[in-house]
């Protein structure tokens, strides 16, 4: 199973009407989520995909800061977690 629990594939499968762009570059800002999503009527969101094996998820302070910053500007951001 991929490091993110194959969540990007699952999201694409169950939301086929969306457009999804994986963010995989080391050249992007630190803390930026794994997936950008666009839907009809100018609806967009960011998704951070996480996999865990217990009742704890590792989230870096940079990820928390990024999500809080864009959330305060009105963007939709999510942490999607899959427990192994």
């Amino acid at each position: 199973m991929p490091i993110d629990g194959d969540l990007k594939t699952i999201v694409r499968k169950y939301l086929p009407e969306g457009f999804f762009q994986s963010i995989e570059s080391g050249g992007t800002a630190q803390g930026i989520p794994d997936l950008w999503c666009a839907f009809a009527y100018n609806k967009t969101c960011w998704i951070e995909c996480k996999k865990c094996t217990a009742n704890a998820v590792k989230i870096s302070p940079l990820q928390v800061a990024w999500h809080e910053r864009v959330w305060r500007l009105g963007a939709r951001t999510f942490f999607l977690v899959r427990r192994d």
Side-chain angles (χ1 to χ4, degrees):
M1 184 179 301
I3 193 166
D4 68 355
D6 208 25
L7 286 167
K8 292 179 215 167
T9 303
I10 293 169
V11 167
R12 287 179 169 105
K13 177 181 176 182
Y14 288 100
L15 297 171
E17 70 279 2
F19 170 77
F20 302 94
Q21 180 64 53
S22 293
I23 310 297
E24 304 283 343
S25 171
T28 58
Q30 292 185 349
I32 195 166
D34 301 314
L35 199 57
W36 178 80
C37 315
F39 300 94
Y41 306 106
N42 202 26
K43 303 291 184 193
T44 63
C45 70
W46 291 88
I47 299 175
E48 177 65 42
C49 300
K50 294 287 187 181
K51 181 177 85 168
C52 67
T53 56
N55 289 333
V57 179
K58 293 180 183 177
I59 300 172
S60 79
L62 291 170
Q63 290 172 319
V64 172
W66 192 97
H67 280 266
E68 184 175 347
R69 209 169 346 172
V70 298
W71 174 78
R72 287 176 185 252
L73 295 171
R76 292 175 182 88
T77 70
F78 301 95
F79 285 88
L80 188 59
V81 179
R82 182 175 192 184
R83 185 171 177 193
D84 199 11

